[in-house]
Amino acid sequence: MRTLVALLVAGLTLSGAPTAHAADPPVTVTLSRSSVAVSSLNTVPVTVTVEGSYSNLSFTKDLFVQFKRTGGTGPLTEISSMPLPLIEGDGTPGVWKGTVNVPSTTNGTLEATTVDAYEFVAGEPASNPVPVANLPKLTVSGVHIPKVVSLLTPKVVPYDKPWTVRYTVLDSQTGKPYGTKLKLLFGFEERCLENSPGESVLTDTSGNFTRAFPANRYGDYTSCLEIPGKPTKIAYLETRVKRPADITAAPSKTSAPVGTIVPVNGSVVQGTNCQVILQRLYGASAWRAVGSSTVRVSGRFTLTAQPSYKGNIPYRVYLPTCFDKVAGTTKPFTIRGT
């Protein structure tokens, strides 16, 4: 009886176990040309053909090819092809054919490295990648490459003040705008985190787009602008708002016997988890660290000073650059050793 049960259990286990999916072998990718010249905001289509087996097809049966820049000076380091439809076979094996739209911002050498059933997103891992066997190369000669710059006003935004961000698209070769209105995509916060600004905006003929934001003590907005392409963006820039240190501190005592520990209490606006450093003045201008701590969830911190000699000893608290906050210090204060 025990033997029969054991056999039945073993049979269920074996029949219910998932079968391992063997990885598809590398596919072959060919390009219709080995070099291309691209100017300014344009893209040039290059025909891409994939041959081989890809068993994990999506419902569309399309494939995408990822291209990575392996040389040159273009600001864009990777792009994706358009969806390549299956034109022959069932995919195991099959032939797929379509285009990759090459922008000037990939100036240099592109290499077809990976194939997937999902579009490649810059900085994100592939879903079900299959390597390319021959790694075909495409030399891109980009001229009048677009450059996106931004300007925050003010450069460091107080927590109780509004601010603006201005993006400008320039011809990096001439340093001048293209002289026409440009359709761009703009976003902030979650849109930038997802690397997908979605609001369609229009620049002026000088290539400028400006967005104003109201004062927001708790909104340290990151904004982003994209020059869209098909499917990969041509250029992209994120701009993070910089906030002041906004740090204050004071000793619990202004005088104490030499060697006595004196708590120094302070606060940092929106500074949770930032490091703070107690500094003491040596000589006429040398501020040196004598202690450190971390800002609590409440925004407050406590450091300890210890007068080492009799007389007035200058201290201050320093906040290094932290998240969006610029570095800054408190006003100096004095503890008198007695």
Side-chain angles (χ1 to χ4, degrees):
M1 184 67 178
R2 288 181 181 178
T3 303
L4 177 60
V5 171
L7 288 172
L8 289 172
V9 171
L12 289 172
T13 303
L14 289 172
S15 63
T19 57
H21 172 68
D24 290 317
V27 297
T28 299
V29 174
T30 55
L31 307 177
S32 61
R33 54 203 298 187
S34 60
S35 64
V36 64
V38 194
S39 177
S40 63
L41 301 165
N42 301 309
T43 59
V44 174
V46 174
T47 302
V48 184
T49 304
V50 177
E51 296 182 67
S53 290
Y54 191 97
S55 57
N56 197 11
L57 285 171
S58 65
F59 65 93
T60 63
K61 295 190 177 181
D62 294 340
L63 290 183
F64 293 83
V65 176
Q66 181 184 37
F67 292 80
K68 291 190 176 183
R69 188 169 59 75
T70 58
T73 58
L76 198 61
T77 58
E78 59 182 300
I79 59 174
S80 174
S81 72
M82 295 293 286
L84 310 179
L86 180 66
I87 63 169
E88 185 179 317
D90 64 356
T92 56
V95 177
W96 295 260
K97 191 172 186 178
T99 60
V100 56
N101 295 312
V102 183
S104 64
T105 45
T106 56
N107 178 61
T109 302
L110 289 176
E111 197 170 74
T113 59
T114 313
V115 168
D116 200 345
Y118 296 91
E119 178 188 333
F120 291 95
V121 178
E124 297 294 328
S127 300
N128 295 289
V130 170
V132 176
N134 53 324
L135 296 178
K137 292 179 172 56
L138 178 67
T139 302
V140 182
S141 298
V143 295
H144 297 286
I145 298 171
K147 178 182 180 181
V148 184
V149 297
S150 65
L151 176 67
L152 282 171
T153 305
K155 290 183 178 180
V156 178
V157 184
Y159 285 97
D160 59 347
K161 299 292 183 183
W163 56 278
T164 62
V165 60
R166 186 187 73 195
Y167 285 93
T168 305
V169 180
L170 300 171
D171 179 336
S172 60
Q173 192 167 320
T174 65
K176 298 178 180 180
Y178 291 101
T180 184
K181 293 183 178 181
L182 306 175
K183 292 182 179 180
L184 308 173
L185 296 178
F186 175 79
F188 60 91
E189 287 301 89
E190 289 82 5
R191 281 291 190 174
C192 301
L193 291 173
E194 295 167 0
N195 202 23
S196 60
E199 179 186 349
S200 181
V201 299
L202 194 66
T203 70
D204 58 23
T205 55
S206 295
N208 297 315
F209 169 75
T210 302
R211 174 60 57 88
F213 289 86
N216 189 335
R217 188 180 185 88
Y218 303 102
D220 299 339
Y221 291 135
T222 294
S223 63
C224 49
L225 191 83
E226 174 184 321
I227 302 176
K230 293 182 179 182
T232 308
K233 56 185 66 96
I234 293 172
Y236 177 81
L237 181 67
E238 287 188 3
T239 305
R240 189 167 187 173
V241 169
K242 294 183 182 298
R243 294 291 196 176
D246 269 2
I247 179 171
T248 58
S252 60
K253 299 177 181 179
T254 56
S255 65
V258 172
T260 301
I261 292 176
V262 178
V264 175
N265 298 306
S267 64
V268 179
V269 175
Q270 298 300 309
T272 300
N273 293 327
C274 289
Q275 183 187 38
V276 285
I277 299 171
L278 181 65
Q279 295 179 327
R280 179 183 140 190
L281 182 63
Y282 287 78
S285 59
W287 290 96
R288 297 178 184 172
V290 292
S292 64
S293 186
T294 301
V295 180
R296 300 186 291 272
V297 175
S298 63
R300 299 193 59 79
F301 62 84
T302 300
L303 292 157
T304 55
Q306 191 171 19
S308 58
Y309 61 85
K310 291 184 178 181
N312 292 329
I313 305 174
Y315 293 91
R316 70 181 186 184
V317 180
Y318 169 64
L319 175 78
T321 299
C322 179
F323 305 119
D324 62 325
K325 300 177 77 65
V326 298
T329 66
T330 64
K331 293 179 179 179
F333 53 86
T334 298
I335 299 177
R336 181 174 180 80
T338 59

